[in-house]
Amino acid sequence: MTKKLFVGNLSFQTSEQDLNDLFAQVGKVDSVSIITDRMTGRSKGFGFVEMDNEAAENAITKFNGADLDGRKLTVNEARPLVKKEFGGGGGGRDSHGGGRGGGGGRRDRY
């Protein structure tokens, strides 16, 4: 069984190969991905590594707080992705909330 690890506080210069080489020190790495910005292609400073359970536990112990490319890594078990609702505050299309000053309706100043 494999476990997915979150690896945070990565240097923007750290490559997927760098992560693979590091985590391979404790066991077989199934996959590595560094998350990048869609617009710029630049690293967002975190990624994920998948490896078997025992190797993953060893990796957390060995690499959490370890230095890589001048940065102290954060390594822990990845949590499931939570879908976020966008557009908070204000309500639906016909709602009168969410504007400045409350009340929602238009006020004529004659």
Side-chain angles (χ1 to χ4, degrees):
M1 180 104 179
T2 63
K3 188 176 279 191
K4 191 173 202 175
L5 300 177
F6 168 83
V7 184
N9 201 33
L10 294 173
S11 164
F12 295 129
Q13 285 71 42
T14 301
S15 70
E16 290 181 351
Q17 187 62 51
D18 295 334
L19 274 187
N20 189 73
D21 293 347
L22 180 69
F23 281 79
Q25 295 175 22
V26 295
K28 181 181 176 294
V29 175
D30 293 328
S31 71
V32 174
S33 64
I34 293 179
I35 306 306
T36 56
D37 182 87
R38 289 181 190 168
M39 298 294 283
T40 65
R42 183 176 168 186
S43 167
K44 288 191 170 189
F46 70 94
F48 298 95
V49 175
E50 282 188 80
M51 51 195 332
D52 73 63
N53 285 342
E54 187 177 336
E57 291 301 323
N58 291 337
I60 291 169
T61 302
K62 184 171 182 175
F63 300 128
N64 188 39
D67 185 80
L68 179 65
D69 296 329
R71 307 288 298 262
K72 291 209 179 297
L73 297 179
T74 299
V75 181
N76 51 44
E77 188 172 349
R79 290 177 274 168
L81 179 65
V82 176
K83 204 75 160 150
K84 293 182 181 179
E85 295 291 325
F86 289 102
R93 181 180 184 131
D94 293 330
S95 172
H96 293 288
R100 281 188 276 148
R106 238 183 134 151
R107 189 174 130 199
D108 292 319
R109 298 178 190 221
Y110 295 108

